[in-house]
Amino acid sequence: MTAASATAELLTVPEVMARLKVGRSKVYDLIRSRRLVSIKIDGARRIPATAVRDFVLGQIEQAA
């Protein structure tokens, strides 16, 4: 994995909001409750794209 591809996999909160179709408060609630994995880079919150995918897959499994 190159540095460029690793960076491309990190999403901002607004990007996650758009993907999940939820508001900012909900994204931070998911992070706070540890249902959505995130990291901080110099104070900026970033969410791995794989964490969003895993969250969605988990929600689908729970609904089934």
Side-chain angles (χ1 to χ4, degrees):
M1 177 182 297
T2 66
S5 66
T7 303
E9 292 179 309
L10 293 176
L11 305 172
T12 64
V13 170
E15 290 169 332
V16 174
M17 290 166 52
R19 286 187 183 204
L20 296 179
K21 309 276 191 286
V22 298
R24 177 179 298 273
S25 296
K26 184 61 177 178
V27 173
Y28 281 109
D29 181 49
L30 292 171
I31 292 168
R32 200 172 14 263
S33 64
R34 298 180 187 220
R35 293 171 58 201
L36 187 62
V37 175
S38 71
I39 60 172
K40 270 188 134 178
I41 301 174
D42 293 333
R45 185 66 63 184
R46 296 293 180 259
I47 300 97
T50 55
V52 176
R53 185 201 54 178
D54 292 345
F55 171 76
V56 171
L57 291 175
Q59 292 299 110
I60 291 169
E61 286 178 9
Q62 285 182 1

